[in-house]
Amino acid sequence: MRRVVRGFWGPRVESAEALARRWKLTLDQLTGLLPAGGSGSVAGDVRTWRQIHSSGPATDLLQDEESLLDALHAAQEADGWSARIGYGVQLVLAAEPDWKIEVSGTGGGTSEFLLQSVVIGIRSPDSAEIPDAELLAAVAEVWEPDFGDVTDDDVLDALEDDGGFAVGEPSIGWIGYLSPGRAALLPDGMAAARKELRGGGVLLDVAPRGDVKNVLRAYLQLRDAGVLQPLPSPMERAAL
């Protein structure tokens, strides 16, 4: 079973130090929320991840702030880096049988056309209880995105085939996150349960996992209400 937890936002200038803190908080949250997915720890709750590089073999990376900052500085020094694109990191953790956690993200960029993002892919046993809402709340509180969701291929295929969704546009999964600006546009008749998050924004409990039909219905309702409108192009801010 595989799901993805995602957050997206527009241009937001950030230093490598600020991003290292966000990455550390993200990995710490994953350690707490998905303990079965990370038996490969070296000490206490400190895990060793595998960092994937655009060229060359993967290397070990500890989830401490110093190691993460070194990785971001290395990305900055690599060929092709630019402040417009931002700092990219891709990590993988494969530990317990049938478990795999992949985390990738790009932050600190100033591009007017390319969204910044963090994406957490989780492959788990069918019997595993995954705290979807808590995972998305963690992404929202750490990264302050414009929108986000918990979704899978079945949902994304349905949105594309039956809802006119295109990659790069705001979307919704069985759990969704909306920034304060988007949450203010929620229609009164929206049936999804709402939870206010610290720092603003709303978590929506749209449907049970596997209920693709109701996710599609909610997506169309939110899109028609303007909740899922894209950021203005060229983008000039991080959130609607």
Side-chain angles (χ1 to χ4, degrees):
M1 181 181 297
R2 188 176 187 276
R3 67 202 353 106
V4 289
V5 183
R6 313 183 301 171
F8 300 91
W9 61 97
R12 184 170 65 206
V13 176
E14 294 187 81
S15 67
E17 289 76 11
L19 290 167
R21 288 191 289 272
R22 291 191 194 268
W23 273 105
K24 173 65 164 55
L25 288 170
T26 301
L27 300 183
D28 286 349
Q29 290 278 17
L30 289 176
T31 296
L33 293 170
L34 298 172
S39 63
S41 61
V42 294
D45 290 333
V46 179
R47 290 175 171 173
T48 301
W49 295 75
R50 296 289 287 170
Q51 183 181 5
I52 308 301
H53 305 279
S54 57
S55 62
T59 55
D60 287 346
L61 179 69
L62 296 181
Q63 65 177 56
D64 60 70
E65 196 167 319
E66 182 179 358
S67 298
L68 290 161
L69 182 57
D70 287 344
L72 292 167
H73 282 153
Q76 185 179 19
E77 294 167 2
D79 291 340
W81 183 88
S82 75
R84 292 180 61 80
I85 295 173
Y87 299 82
V89 175
Q90 184 176 1
L91 305 174
V92 176
L93 185 71
E96 300 282 351
D98 299 323
W99 276 94
K100 185 177 182 180
I101 304 172
E102 304 167 275
V103 190
S104 61
T106 302
T110 62
S111 173
E112 299 171 321
F113 303 101
L114 180 66
L115 287 169
Q116 309 291 290
S117 66
V118 62
V119 178
I120 303 169
I122 302 166
R123 190 187 71 201
S124 63
D126 291 346
S127 59
E129 294 289 335
I130 306 298
D132 290 330
E134 290 83 355
L135 286 164
L136 185 55
V139 167
E141 292 174 354
V142 171
W143 290 96
E144 304 170 84
D146 183 31
F147 60 92
D149 58 15
V150 185
T151 190
D152 61 12
D153 288 340
D154 290 340
V155 169
L156 292 172
D157 287 345
L159 298 188
E160 186 173 357
D161 294 341
D162 302 320
F165 167 72
V167 174
E169 296 177 348
S171 65
I172 200 80
W174 59 88
I175 305 289
Y177 168 77
L178 302 172
S179 63
R182 294 187 184 277
L185 300 174
L186 279 168
D188 293 337
M190 186 71 198
R194 309 178 190 185
K195 178 184 178 182
E196 301 284 342
L197 297 183
R198 290 180 301 175
V202 169
L203 210 65
L204 296 179
D205 187 352
V206 175
R209 189 182 193 278
D211 189 352
V212 176
K213 181 178 180 180
N214 277 321
V215 174
L216 175 61
R217 181 182 292 114
Y219 167 76
L220 294 172
Q221 183 181 6
L222 292 173
R223 188 188 65 186
D224 291 346
V227 177
L228 299 178
Q229 61 184 290
L231 286 170
S233 182
M235 293 183 293
E236 59 183 16
R237 56 185 183 271
L240 192 69

